[in-house]
Amino acid sequence: MIKGKKISAVIVAAGKGTRMKCDQPKQYICIDEKPVLYYTLKAFEQSNVDHIVIVVSEDYFEYVQSEIMGRYSFEKSYEVVIGGDERYESVYQGLLKTEDCDYVLVHDGARPYIEVDVINGVIEEVIRSNAVVVGVKAKDTIKIVDENRTVVSTPERSYVWQIQTPQAFEYRLLKNAYDKVIEQKITHITDDAMVVESATNHPIKVYEGTYRNIKITTPEDLRYDFFQQYLI
Ligand code: CTP
Ligand code: MG
C-alpha cells in the first residue's frame, strides 16, 4: 500500500510470439536458465505493487503455476488467469480480477528488462495524475508513410516518444474505457492508453523510462546484451 491505495499489476503473457519464430512463446524462452517471464515478475515482486495477476494462455497455465510460481520464491499475492486471442482481451481478463484495487499497472510479460525504480516512479505518477505511460524519446527521425511507401510527413522529433509498458491508470478509468471499447467493437488497439484515448478525454502523462526496457519481439532482441561484443 502506498498512501493507503491498493496497487495491482496485470502482466500479460498469453501471446503466441509468432514474430519470434521459436517453438515456444517468447516469454518462456530462457535467459541464463530462467524464463523471460520470471525476470519480469521478479521486478514487480521487488516493487511497491500489492497484488499481481499473470495472464497466460490455457496451454501454459500449468507450466506457469508449477515451473515459475512453484519453483521460484515469490512473496506477494499472485493469481494466474487465462487470457484471450488478442492482447486487449488478455488485459480485460486481468482487469476482471483486479476490481478491488485503486490503481492498476498493465505490463507486457515480454519486457523483462523493466527496472524496479521505473515501476515505482510510475506508481507515484499515477497517484498524482490517474493515467501514465512509460516512454523514451525517439532517437531516430520518425516519418509517417502511406501505403505506397511514400513519405507523408515528419513530426518534429522533440515531440515523438516511443511508448512502452508499464501503463498505469486509476482502475475505474481504465475499466470503464475498456468496457466501452469492447462494447463498441473498436479495433486496431495496440496499447492500453489507446483504449483510454478512444473512450475519454482524460490526459495521459508520459513517464521517462529507459531504452533497455525493450519488448522481446524478434530473434535479434534476445541478443540485446550480446550486441556489445561486436562494438569496436
Ligand atoms: N499478449 C497476451 N495475449 C495475447 C497477445 C499478446 O497476453 N492474445 C501479450 C504477450 O504475451 C506479450 C504482450 O502481450 O507479453 C505484447 O504482445 P506481443 O509482443 O505482440 O506478443 P505476441 O502477441 O506473443 O507476439 P506476436 O505478435 O509476434 O505473435
Ligand atoms: Mg502480438
Side-chain angles (χ1 to χ4, degrees):
M1 289 271 192
I2 296 268
K3 298 177 182 149
K5 303 293 184 188
K6 180 168 180 183
I7 320 286
S8 293
V10 171
I11 311 291
V12 282
K16 292 193 170 72
T18 329
R19 287 169 287 177
M20 183 57 79
K21 298 186 172 74
C22 182
D23 301 344
Q24 64 196 142
K26 59 200 185 184
Q27 59 273 28
Y28 304 119
I29 292 173
C30 285
I31 301 177
D32 271 347
E33 294 171 17
K34 294 194 181 82
V36 163
L37 183 59
Y38 160 85
Y39 295 102
T40 309
L41 294 173
K42 204 72 195 166
F44 278 80
E45 168 80 7
Q46 289 169 13
S47 77
N48 291 328
V49 159
D50 299 302
H51 177 67
I52 299 171
V53 173
I54 310 160
V55 188
V56 303
S57 66
E58 208 171 344
D59 296 352
Y60 281 86
F61 185 80
E62 289 299 329
Y63 171 84
V64 170
Q65 297 269 23
S66 61
E67 298 301 313
I68 300 185
M69 305 320 294
R71 177 174 297 216
Y72 305 106
S73 53
F74 289 107
E75 285 171 10
K76 289 194 193 287
S77 67
Y78 283 89
E79 209 173 335
V80 185
V81 304
I82 292 172
D85 289 339
E86 297 292 333
R87 183 186 183 278
Y88 77 88
E89 295 173 297
S90 296
V91 173
Y92 195 70
Q93 291 308 312
L95 292 179
L96 294 176
K97 296 286 182 183
T98 46
E99 301 255 9
D100 63 340
C101 71
D102 296 294
Y103 299 97
V104 62
L105 278 70
V106 182
H107 184 69
D108 295 325
R111 288 187 194 269
Y113 300 108
I114 182 66
E115 288 107 317
V116 178
D117 286 351
V118 173
I119 301 172
N120 288 341
V122 165
I123 293 173
E124 295 286 327
E125 184 57 47
V126 76
I127 294 174
R128 271 193 297 271
S129 60
N130 284 338
V132 54
V133 297
V134 171
V136 289
K137 289 176 183 158
K139 291 184 191 178
D140 293 322
T141 296
I142 303 292
K143 293 194 187 288
I144 308 299
V145 178
D146 70 12
E147 54 286 359
N148 302 317
R149 214 172 276 187
T150 302
V151 171
V152 175
S153 62
T154 307
E156 190 187 316
R157 202 179 58 203
S158 60
Y159 291 119
V160 179
W161 289 69
Q162 287 169 236
I163 302 305
Q164 311 168 340
T165 69
Q167 301 196 352
F169 304 88
E170 187 272 320
Y171 179 83
R172 275 283 134 211
L173 175 67
L174 186 63
K175 176 64 166 44
N176 291 345
Y178 258 95
D179 284 338
K180 208 161 159 182
V181 159
I182 284 177
E183 191 187 301
Q184 296 174 357
K185 297 191 169 62
I186 297 172
T187 52
H188 303 298
I189 295 281
T190 52
D191 74 346
D192 308 293
M194 256 179 99
V195 174
V196 173
E197 288 163 57
S198 33
T200 77
N201 290 321
H202 199 290
I204 300 168
K205 286 280 182 193
V206 177
Y207 181 92
E208 188 161 13
T210 62
Y211 292 98
R212 72 176 240 203
N213 182 28
I214 58 161
K215 177 162 67 65
I216 294 179
T217 306
T218 52
E220 61 270 21
D221 296 333
L222 285 174
R223 303 239 150 164
Y224 195 65
D225 293 327
F226 199 70
F227 282 155
Q228 291 168 7
Q229 67 180 289
Y230 294 112
L231 295 175
I232 49 169

